[in-house]
Amino acid sequence: MPHSAAPSGAVLVTGCSTGIGKATAARLARSGWTVYATARKPETLEDLKATGCRTLALDVNDEASMQAAVGVVEHAHGAVGVLVNNAGYSQSGAVESVPLSKVRAEFETNVFGLIRMCQLVLPGMRRQGRGRIINMGSMGGKLTFPGGGIYHASKYAVEALSDALRFEVRGFGVDVVLIQPGLIRSQFSATVGAAIDAVQAGAGPYQAFNTAVAETSRDAYEKGLLAKLGGGPERVAATIEKVLRSARPRARYAVTPSARLMMTQRAVMTDRAWDRFLRSNFPTPGSAA
């Protein structure tokens, strides 16, 4: 179908097979938005069709796949009106114990894929003089937990990229917004454990530490204060819809009390105080204590 002359409001969401991406696509479609839900394996998106989503294959590690998905939306609507860069995962484990191939894979998805999706949709947004890019950051882009250095590094990168991009494209009518979820109860904790299991064979002196990180992460999602202050993926989806309905969205939106609590706590604590806090929750590798 050829596109109309009116600016596109079509929403393209990456990483919709589970969690935040799935909840966001479903909520926006039910609210009347034209939503393209995407995932590396499109068969995981079948249930989203019932909500009114259009589904596409999109692998943010594959240039041809990204170009093809953006091309479908631009052919139908002239441009991607809204890009929700949600695709991402957590590679956990002590930095020395994570093979560089897994570090590169994390950044390919969480950082390089996000950058390339922005590059692909921006020409269309600039042509129509309007657009919105929503990047999925994390409270982990403002603070760092032991055993999560690789993941946190990727989210710190998303913070910097969003700040730079927000300035660079504002004059073209494009808004860039960063979402900072705290603890979100989804399959995320399970993937943390699986990611640590994948590096344990070469963990050496970090094996016990990595195991403790996996257990601490699982406990944080299932019980304790942070679990009580967390929320489901729908909390993030509701925030994204709020961003889309706002005439002048803020640069950042923290989601869940856990995000606001932890980012505030980190901001007011010195590095030494923060390290003492972490030592009370995580074992110290190489220490007999």
Side-chain angles (χ1 to χ4, degrees):
M1 172 184 293
H3 65 84
S4 65
S8 169
V11 183
L12 177 61
V13 187
T14 67
C16 295
S17 59
T18 60
I20 292 172
K22 183 179 284 289
T24 298
R27 182 185 181 98
L28 295 180
R30 291 191 184 105
S31 297
W33 298 87
T34 299
V35 177
Y36 287 81
T38 72
R40 185 169 55 88
K41 298 179 180 180
E43 61 270 21
T44 63
L45 305 173
E46 285 300 314
D47 55 335
L48 285 174
K49 292 180 180 179
T51 69
C53 289
R54 308 175 192 190
T55 63
L56 292 172
L58 196 167
D59 182 351
V60 298
N61 293 332
D62 184 273
E63 175 69 16
S65 174
M66 290 186 282
Q67 287 190 16
V70 172
V72 168
V73 181
E74 290 188 339
H75 177 73
H77 306 279
V80 173
V82 178
L83 170 64
V84 181
N85 270 318
N86 169 72
Y89 69 97
S90 174
Q91 175 58 62
S92 297
V95 172
E96 186 183 350
S97 71
V98 181
L100 203 55
S101 60
K102 293 188 178 296
V103 177
R104 290 191 175 103
E106 170 97 324
F107 273 73
E108 282 290 348
T109 296
N110 291 14
V111 181
F112 303 140
L114 177 147
I115 294 172
R116 187 58 181 145
M117 286 302 299
C118 291
Q119 292 176 337
L120 289 171
V121 304
L122 275 168
M125 290 181 175
R126 287 190 288 102
R127 282 195 302 269
Q128 69 175 6
R130 192 176 76 179
R132 197 154 286 184
I133 294 174
I134 300 174
N135 289 334
M136 193 59 59
S138 169
M139 71 176 182
K142 288 293 189 182
L143 54 91
T144 304
F145 290 125
I150 306 303
Y151 171 73
H152 286 285
S154 75
K155 291 303 181 181
Y156 269 66
V158 172
E159 287 269 342
L161 290 163
S162 299
D163 281 342
L165 194 62
R166 186 177 66 252
F167 182 91
E168 293 165 359
V169 301
R170 184 172 181 266
F172 298 109
V174 180
D175 296 312
V176 177
V177 175
L178 181 70
I179 306 297
Q180 298 170 306
L183 191 147
I184 300 297
R185 292 186 292 271
S186 65
Q187 295 181 347
F188 189 85
S189 60
T191 64
V192 170
I196 287 182
D197 289 342
V199 304
Q200 280 294 67
Y206 300 101
Q207 193 155 12
F209 169 74
N210 284 353
T211 298
V213 167
E215 293 174 353
T216 300
S217 299
R218 183 177 60 251
D219 290 346
Y221 279 84
E222 296 176 0
K223 58 188 177 182
L225 178 61
L226 285 184
K228 294 177 181 178
L229 296 177
E234 296 77 16
R235 294 283 292 273
V236 183
T239 301
I240 290 174
E241 183 175 12
K242 178 181 177 182
V243 171
L244 297 193
R245 295 191 182 282
S246 174
R248 296 183 62 190
R250 303 198 305 267
R252 284 171 171 76
Y253 288 78
V255 185
T256 74
S258 63
R260 290 184 283 272
L261 172 66
M262 295 305 299
M263 288 192 291
T264 299
Q265 182 176 352
R266 181 63 187 99
V268 301
M269 293 176 76
T270 65
D271 291 338
R272 288 187 177 182
W274 178 253
D275 287 351
R276 283 196 298 270
F277 165 73
L278 293 178
R279 283 196 295 272
S280 69
N281 291 277
F282 294 87
T284 303
S287 172

